[in-house]
Each structure stands twice: as C-alpha cells, then as structure tokens.
Amino acid sequence: MSQPPYPRVQEFMRTVPPFDTLSPDELRAVVERMEIGYFPRGQVIIARGGPPASHLFIIQAGSAKITLPQAGGDDLLIDIRGEGETFGAVSLLQGKEALFTVTAREDLICYLLPAQDLKALVAAHPAFERHFSQGLARNLEAARRSADRQAGPMTAALDGLTLDAALVRSRVAEVMSRDPLTCLPATTVRAAAHRMSIRQVSSIVVTEESGHPIGVLTDQDLRGRVLALGRSADRPVAEFMSAPVHEIGPDAYAFEALLAMSRHGIHHLVVSDHDRVVGVISDHDLQGLTGSSPVGVVRDIEKVASVAELVAVHRKIDRVLELLLRLGGSAATMLALVSEFNDRLTLKLLELITEQIENQGGGRPPVPYVWMALGSEGRREQTLRTDQDNALILANVPPEREADIKAWFLGFADQVVAGLEACGFPRCPGEIMANNPRWCQTEAQWQKTFARWLAEPKPLTLRLASIFFDLRALYAEADYLETLVEKVHQGLEDNRLFLRAMAKNALANRPPLGFLRQFVVEKSGEHKNKLNLKLSGLTPIVDGARVMALERGVAETNTLARLAAAERAGILSPTLGADLREAFGFITLLRITQHLEARARGDAPDNFVDPAGLNNLQRKMLKESFAVISQLQDLLEHRYQTRLISA
C-alpha cells in the first residue's frame, strides 16, 4: 500500500457516487485518509467466508469480478465492477464474514478507504447510508439472476435476450439415452433388428469385444442398405453399419452435439468415455430441447430439386438459426453452426445451377474449378446474412480457349450470385463476386495477381488483400487454392514491408475509448451517440490476427484459430491471447443480439449500438474488450514498426 497523489485522487473521487455529494473540504479530508493498492490479475482480494473487509475498495483502473463459489463446478458470476465502482462495503458495514469472493479480473488499482472512515461517513451522511444499504440487495439480486440463467458469464452479458438456454447449460450426459444397445460386428442384422425392436430404439452401437465403438446400425441403415436392396438379414451388421463412428464425450454441451450432427448430416452420436460406450444421443433428443430440428433443415437442403425450392427452404433456415443464436453459447460454436448452414446452402446452389445449365444444353463445367469463399465467409464468421464475397479459380488453359471458358463460368457465376441473393445474401457493394471478370481467373492469373499485390502494398491492394487473404475453398475440383496460399506465404517470407503496411492498416480503427476509459460515440448523424461494433471492435481483432497469421505462414483463416496460432508462436502472451478471444466472443455475441433485436422490431440490422441502452455488465465488458484491443494494437505497432510508414 502507498499514499496516493491527493489532488489527482480528489479530482477522480468527485465523479464517484456517493462521494460526489461531499463538499470540497469534506472530500479532501476523506481522500487524505486513503491509501492506494495494486492487485495483479487473478488475485483474490476478498474470499467468501473470510473476515469482513477492512477497507472500502474504490476502483481507479481495471476491473474485479464478484463470484459465488459452487461445489464441484465453476464459480457463479455475480457481477463485474469497473472504474468508479466499489466493493467490500457490505461485509465491512455488517461486520460479518464475506458472502462473495472478489477477484482481480485484470490488473487492478484501487483507492482504499479504512473501515472506520466509511462507517463515519455512513453515520453522518444520508446519501452514504442510502447508497451502501443497497449494496447487499444489489448483490443478492445479481446472484438470483445468475442462478436463474446458469449459462455462464457470456450469456449473462446478454441478460434477458435468450429464448431458452437449454442447449447451452445441458450436458450430453443429461440428454443422452443411457444403457445403449450394443452388439459385436459378427451379429446378424436379423438379431440386431430384433433386439432394437424389443428395446424400442432406433439404433444399435457396434463394438469390438473390448467395448470400443466401431460403427452404428440405425433404422435408416436397415431400410436403405438391407431391405431396399434385398440383402439377406442373416449377414453380419459390420457389412451395413455406418462407419466410422462419430463420437462425443458425456461432458460436452448439447450444443456441441447439435453442431456435430449438423456438420456430418447424421442423426445419432455415440457417447463414449475413455473409449467405452456410455450412451447414444440423437437428433430427437436435441429436438426436445430446441423445439426444432437443425439436422432436419440440413436434410431439407439436401432434398431440394430446384433453385426455387432452395429459396423457400432458406426461410426455414433463418428461423432455426435465429432460435439457435438466441440460445446463447460460445461465439465460436455459433459462428461454426451458421457457417455450416450457409456452406451447405451454397454447395447445393452450385449443384443445382450446374444441373440447370446442363439441362438447358449449356454442358458441364468445361474445366475443373474452385469456388472461393472470402471475407467473413472465408473466415467462417458470418452472422445471419452478410454480403457475398466470392471468387472463382479456373484451371490453366491455352490462350485460344480462355475467352470461351471464362464466358461459361461468368454465366454460371451470374446465376449462383443471383441465387444467393434470392436466399438472403446481398450482393457485395464492391462487386467482389465471382461474376465479376476481375475475380474469375485461372490459377496462373491468380498467382500473378497476388504476387502483384505483395509487391505493391498500396491502399487499394491492401484493402483487397484483407478480403482475399481470408480465402477458403467452398467447392474444389483441384488443389488450386492450396497452391495459391503456398505462393502467398513464399512471397511474404522476408517481405517485412507488406506486413508492416498491413499492420498499419490494422491500426486504422482505434477502439472508441477516451479519457478514463469513457466511450467515444458518434457526435452527429444517423448513428449519433452510438458505437460501431464491427468497425471499432471486431475489425481490429480480425485485422491484427490476419497480420500475425501471415507472418507465421498460418494457412488457417478463422480469427480465433489465428489468435491461438499467434499465441503458440509466442507473438501473443497467454494472457493477451485469452483476453482477445474473450473480447472477440463478447463483441460477436453482442452484435448478434443487436441484429436479432432489430429484426424483432422490423428494422434493418446494422452494427451500431447505443452504450446507454446496454446493461451495466455489458458496458463494463465492452470497455474491457476495447482496452484489450488497444493492447493488441500497441503490440502490432511495436512489432511491425508501423511508424516507419509515412501517413
């Protein structure tokens, strides 16, 4: 502990309720009794069940979390306190053991007012008595809300905005069918079907004698692989089972099971624990939680036979996605699920358009090609519906064939882009789409294009690189994209100038925090008093992660995966890496919430949020997220020496 510089502390305390009600002389006398304390991230300052606090803690910088320890589980988050807020008053004034644990959530600087001085202020000033008498009620109400939610701090940040958190808080072990039916590979189909009928289940897990699962035989397998083909029911199940088996652990969340089923297009997952089958979870089990079937939507996509039918199905996809997004959960899980739906829809559209052109006499694709997803789609970070960003890589062809082949693919891309638009994906305002001749090129032409961008880090090429370097093959008939990525990484070796220029671009959007970490909002116009969550929050993280990934030759385009790679490479400290992932997840979920609320009002979704409309916890976490982004940008500025580039 040390003595603080009193004039500066007095200036700060004038903004802190209820100290702002004191006269200048009274405030100066109080400040002169204070000490200053520093608590590193993770330090427990007050422990539940411990002695009452000896001081009132007034937070000058950083934040503290208030939690309620839970037997055998994670602590229940009660509240997060930030700059200008206090903790410790309840136990101090009551003289009783602490009800909650208070931990430094980040490096914390506090002004400490001794217990006797706070008690004197409460006795002498009604404003202090009223303010601190509400502290216990506030904590208990926050505890009740948290217990009701029981979906973790991220869902808590979206307080009141979920329809049902069943998928998020339920573990697979709570939902699965226990005592699963099993059999050996040599068991006959007839015997397996008989046992399934007796138990009235739709699947049987095929295991080795050790109990290790190797496949699943389902009702669908019996109908499609045995009965429909007239195969003998006396053959062993090993000939007809679905393999390899898709497994999940009993401690995984139900939401993860849902994602796995959607991704693989299956209805059952084997639940295994230490290589031993302990249960089976089905699409039907999850449908009981959600009231809808995402796997069923995947099936609907696969069944459509025309573009018109696909356009009709997309409305059902929207309803299911909206439900799932409202359920909460991690940003990574939800973005992965949204991407899975969007990928399947796009792949089906490519298939339908190809068949349509062929049926009209236009023939099949004349050469192998790759349909590239770019931008947020390339990063698997789409939320609901975002603008299209796509391109085509074509096989290298003789010059005399190039015009005809490109004409075929541009006509093909025109129909795909129109189909995507009909399915709710707006056209890219910048025309970065596969039906633009600039973005429909042969493999050799793309390599030259990327090489030119690397050699000329100008504003336009840097903007294009920020979109095209987040590339992913959505449909590939050859490894053109892998070769292209390899060429990019080769071109970046020792190309510090290009990385420096990209890092400079990553600093263009600074977090909107001003003096004492107050929000800096739009001063006028349509979005007055609002913040741009995408431009000020997500874009700096995305841009920074991209630069670090390019430096290390990381092929992964997903932002969270890029951050993890940068941490493994030692560019990011484990603490900063974890904080950035949390910031990215929180801002992503907050953005999704804003989109859903806009839809509910009948408004067009945008990326702006009014901080005054957020609850206290949301505002704190948003401030902390912006502060973490500032740390990332400081690192980029230092690592890539961006000041060497003139403005």
Side-chain angles (χ1 to χ4, degrees):
M1 305 295 175
S2 62
Q3 295 297 321
Y6 296 124
R8 193 170 67 190
V9 177
Q10 189 166 341
E11 188 68 25
F12 174 79
M13 292 300 297
R14 283 189 187 134
T15 68
V16 178
F19 294 88
D20 57 352
T21 63
L22 297 175
S23 69
D25 289 344
E26 289 174 319
L27 184 59
R28 184 172 58 252
V30 169
V31 166
E32 288 177 354
R33 296 282 297 164
M34 289 181 176
E35 296 178 325
I36 190 168
Y38 168 76
F39 306 94
R41 174 192 175 108
Q43 180 174 334
V44 174
I45 304 165
I46 298 175
R48 169 177 165 78
S54 59
H55 294 79
L56 174 70
F57 297 79
I58 303 117
I59 301 175
Q60 191 273 331
S63 63
K65 62 179 179 180
I66 300 175
T67 58
L68 184 64
Q70 301 289 289
D74 296 335
D75 291 353
L76 189 67
L77 179 67
I78 304 302
D79 199 5
I80 293 177
R81 305 278 169 90
E83 290 88 340
E85 296 188 294
T86 66
F87 60 86
V90 173
S91 64
L92 184 158
L93 293 173
Q94 291 189 340
K96 297 179 179 178
E97 66 180 30
L99 290 174
F100 306 103
T101 295
V102 182
T103 309
R105 192 170 181 270
E106 55 185 325
D107 289 352
L108 188 65
I109 297 175
C110 294
Y111 298 134
L112 279 60
L113 181 66
Q116 62 270 25
D117 294 292
L118 177 62
K119 290 177 180 177
L121 286 168
V122 168
H125 296 274
F128 276 76
E129 193 277 332
R130 286 194 302 271
H131 182 88
F132 289 109
S133 67
Q134 297 169 358
L136 180 60
R138 171 188 173 185
N139 283 347
L140 293 178
E141 174 60 20
R144 184 195 64 77
R145 290 197 310 269
S146 295
D148 287 344
R149 282 189 299 266
Q150 294 206 3
M154 195 60 71
T155 304
L158 305 177
D159 184 27
L161 298 175
T162 59
L163 295 177
D164 177 16
L167 278 177
V168 179
R169 66 170 178 261
S170 297
R171 303 279 184 175
V172 166
E174 301 168 23
V175 183
M176 70 183 187
S177 299
R178 297 179 180 276
D179 189 23
L181 189 61
T182 64
C183 70
L184 296 173
T187 304
T188 66
V189 170
R190 188 184 308 278
H194 180 65
R195 293 173 63 187
M196 290 166 63
S197 177
I198 292 175
R199 286 277 297 272
Q200 295 186 333
V201 295
S202 59
S203 65
I204 185 169
V205 182
V206 184
T207 69
E208 297 173 340
E209 291 191 7
S210 64
H212 173 69
I214 59 173
V216 178
L217 186 75
T218 68
D219 281 342
Q220 186 174 347
D221 295 328
L222 290 172
R223 293 192 301 269
R225 298 178 181 178
V226 182
L227 297 177
L229 299 178
R231 306 296 296 276
S232 170
D234 294 319
R235 303 297 301 167
V237 294
E239 295 183 15
F240 306 103
M241 67 185 184
S242 295
V245 68
H246 294 284
E247 300 179 61
I248 195 167
D251 293 330
Y253 286 102
F255 203 102
E256 296 175 76
L258 173 65
L259 176 59
M261 289 185 198
S262 297
R263 176 168 294 162
H264 298 297
I266 57 178
H267 289 276
H268 298 80
L269 289 173
V270 172
V271 185
S272 57
D273 188 14
H274 297 94
D275 212 29
R276 182 177 61 88
V277 179
V278 295
V280 173
I281 186 168
S282 69
D283 176 33
H284 178 75
D285 297 325
L286 296 177
Q287 190 172 344
L289 291 178
T290 65
S292 186
S293 173
V295 179
V297 172
V298 171
R299 296 291 188 189
D300 288 344
I301 295 174
E302 296 302 322
K303 290 177 183 176
V304 300
S306 69
V307 176
E309 289 180 31
L310 190 63
V311 171
V313 167
H314 101 270
R315 299 186 185 94
K316 186 174 181 180
I317 295 174
D318 270 352
R319 289 194 297 271
V320 173
L321 281 176
E322 186 164 326
L323 170 64
L324 295 174
L325 290 171
R326 284 186 181 275
L327 289 174
S330 75
T333 301
M334 288 199 291
L335 292 177
L337 188 58
V338 172
S339 295
E340 191 65 33
F341 276 109
N342 292 346
D343 284 0
R344 286 179 179 271
L345 187 145
T346 305
L347 286 168
K348 189 64 178 180
L349 187 58
L350 292 172
E351 176 189 323
L352 292 171
I353 296 296
T354 300
E355 292 176 355
Q356 184 173 293
I357 292 175
E358 184 178 19
N359 292 338
Q360 294 170 351
R364 302 286 298 176
V367 295
Y369 73 95
V370 173
W371 183 275
M372 283 196 294
L374 310 168
S376 61
E377 186 182 7
R379 297 191 303 272
R380 297 183 184 271
E381 291 166 10
Q382 288 178 299
T383 57
L384 296 178
R385 291 290 183 267
T386 50
D387 294 348
Q388 296 183 46
D389 284 311
N390 45 58
L392 276 167
I393 309 177
L394 313 180
N396 294 324
V397 295
E400 62 271 17
R401 294 189 59 202
E402 186 177 306
D404 289 341
I405 288 174
K406 281 196 174 182
W408 191 97
F409 278 103
L410 287 172
F412 167 71
D414 258 336
Q415 295 187 50
V416 175
V417 167
L420 288 170
E421 184 179 24
C423 288
F425 296 90
R427 292 174 183 256
C428 173
E431 295 295 320
I432 298 178
M433 294 176 293
N435 63 340
N436 184 335
R438 291 184 65 191
W439 315 127
C440 177
Q441 302 187 60
T442 65
E443 180 187 18
Q445 289 168 339
W446 274 115
Q447 291 180 12
K448 289 179 181 178
T449 297
F450 277 28
R452 186 174 67 253
W453 292 352
L454 293 176
E456 301 173 358
K458 298 176 181 178
L460 176 60
T461 55
L462 289 168
R463 184 179 69 83
L464 292 173
S466 70
I467 299 171
F468 280 87
F469 285 2
D470 293 347
L471 72 177
R472 177 168 63 94
L474 197 56
Y475 175 83
E477 294 181 340
D479 59 359
Y480 305 145
L481 186 138
E482 288 80 0
T483 304
L484 184 60
V485 170
E486 186 178 338
K487 292 286 187 183
V488 169
H489 291 155
Q490 289 173 358
L492 282 169
E493 290 180 6
D494 299 322
N495 191 343
R496 202 71 181 177
L497 177 60
F498 186 85
L499 289 173
R500 182 175 294 145
M502 288 208 79
K504 181 82 170 179
N505 264 17
L507 304 178
N509 299 300
R510 296 285 185 172
L513 285 182
F515 182 65
L516 292 179
R517 290 172 68 173
Q518 298 302 307
F519 290 122
V520 178
V521 296
E522 298 286 328
K523 300 301 182 186
S524 60
E526 178 185 358
H527 302 295
K528 183 179 180 181
N529 296 326
K530 293 184 177 181
L531 304 169
N532 189 322
L533 290 174
K534 180 180 179 182
L535 197 63
S536 301
L538 295 177
T539 298
I541 301 177
V542 169
D543 288 349
R546 182 187 303 110
V547 174
M548 294 183 289
L550 289 173
E551 178 194 346
R552 304 301 297 186
V554 175
E556 177 61 66
T557 58
N558 178 263
T559 297
L560 292 174
R562 282 171 163 174
L563 291 173
E567 187 178 328
R568 289 193 300 270
I571 300 176
L572 296 177
S573 68
T575 298
L576 182 54
D579 285 348
L580 283 168
R581 289 192 292 274
E582 183 177 346
F584 180 84
F586 172 74
I587 297 173
T588 295
L589 293 176
L590 189 58
R591 182 184 177 214
I592 290 171
T593 301
Q594 297 296 311
H595 287 180
L596 291 174
E597 288 189 321
R599 281 192 172 192
R601 296 191 304 267
D603 298 336
D606 61 33
N607 296 306
F608 288 87
V609 62
D610 181 356
L614 302 177
N615 63 40
N616 195 36
L617 182 55
Q618 288 172 318
R619 284 194 297 272
K620 291 173 192 171
M621 294 187 73
L622 190 56
K623 283 185 181 181
E624 291 167 17
S625 296
F626 287 151
V628 169
I629 293 169
S630 292
Q631 293 178 45
L632 170 65
Q633 293 188 326
D634 289 344
L635 182 151
L636 295 174
E637 192 171 24
H638 175 74
R639 183 176 185 84
Y640 299 101
Q641 297 294 295
T642 58
R643 293 178 181 175
L644 297 178
I645 299 179
S646 57

